Amino acid sequence: MSAPGHLTRRLLQLYVGLTLYGVSSALLVRSGLGLEPWNVLHQGLSERTGLSMGIVLTLVGAAILLLWIPLRQRPGLGTVSNVLVIGAAMDATLALTPDARTWAARVALMAVGIVLNGAATGLYIAARFGPGPRDGLMTGLNRVTGLSIRLVRTGIELTVVATGFVLGGTVGVGTLLYAVSIGPLAQLFLRVFAVPSASGSTVVATGPSERAILPR
């Protein structure tokens, strides 16, 4: 693959992945069966402030980037795009998609939302333009504290879910199914969407960014 073609594919994967992430999150909202851990917090803050979930997601992402400074994390194009694109895509999808009224529709939206989220995660991480704000927070805390990725991730997710639930966010079966399935789904789609290098070899995300997948 030529260098321009290689870059074009990576950029396409980045922005398609981030857009689909916002779409998938909105579908989980409309299912009413539970949200990803971070979106439990975003929904709770939205309920309290009157701001849309997309705007809250963007503001929280920007605030988290400020925490990168003492952690000495460096943002990339994917990091900044993550903050700007996901929230906008989420709000647009929420504006176009009504709440599910039947159990069959709710379950279908939940299932599609979770699988689409896994595909979106694989797309944007495999593009290799830098981690999202919440991913970077976790890997930064892992490096600074010496605690394992698993322990840091668990601590963060429990904190945001508990806080979001208290604020009015939706926790349900979708939250649990997301927690147990997003890792395997993201791992699968990371390999499906692996970007060949300019020289022709296939590159799959490795290291902390692959192991530290964290819902937005």
Side-chain angles (χ1 to χ4, degrees):
M1 183 180 294
S2 67
H6 179 254
L7 179 59
T8 298
R9 171 171 171 175
R10 290 176 61 208
L11 287 169
L12 183 63
Q13 282 201 197
L14 172 66
Y15 289 108
V16 170
L18 293 176
T19 299
L20 291 181
Y21 201 108
V23 172
S24 68
S25 295
L27 295 182
L28 288 171
V29 172
R30 291 306 187 210
S31 78
L33 295 176
L35 304 177
E36 318 98 288
W38 276 97
N39 274 335
V40 175
L41 175 63
H42 298 148
Q43 188 182 52
L45 289 171
S46 175
E47 293 286 337
R48 297 286 178 159
T49 63
L51 298 173
S52 71
M53 279 190 68
I55 291 176
V56 169
L57 185 152
T58 300
L59 292 175
V60 170
I64 290 173
L65 282 183
L66 296 178
L67 298 177
W68 280 34
I69 297 173
L71 295 175
R72 297 183 180 180
Q73 293 283 92
R74 293 184 178 180
L77 174 63
T79 310
V80 177
S81 298
N82 184 296
V83 173
L84 299 176
V85 175
I86 294 179
M90 186 178 188
D91 273 352
T93 305
L94 287 172
L96 296 172
T97 309
D99 288 327
R101 298 185 178 276
T102 67
W103 272 103
R106 294 175 72 186
V107 171
L109 282 179
M110 177 188 69
V112 172
I114 291 173
V115 174
L116 186 60
N117 193 279
T121 300
L123 274 166
Y124 90 79
I125 290 181
R128 295 178 289 113
F129 279 107
R134 296 150 186 85
D135 298 318
L137 174 64
M138 180 170 54
T139 54
L141 288 172
N142 159 251
R143 189 184 68 252
V144 170
T145 66
L147 298 174
S148 69
I149 285 287
R150 184 183 301 274
L151 184 58
V152 172
R153 171 178 173 165
T154 300
I156 291 174
E157 291 191 353
L158 287 176
T159 300
V160 298
V161 168
T163 304
F165 179 72
V166 169
L167 293 174
T170 304
V171 176
V173 64
T175 309
L176 177 61
L177 289 176
Y178 182 92
V180 300
S181 62
I182 189 59
L185 282 171
Q187 182 72 26
L188 168 65
F189 286 112
L190 275 166
R191 300 198 176 279
V192 170
F193 297 120
V195 180
S197 68
S199 63
S201 61
T202 300
V203 178
V204 178
T206 57
S209 62
E210 180 177 339
R211 297 193 306 272
I213 297 164
L214 183 65
R216 316 269 69 65

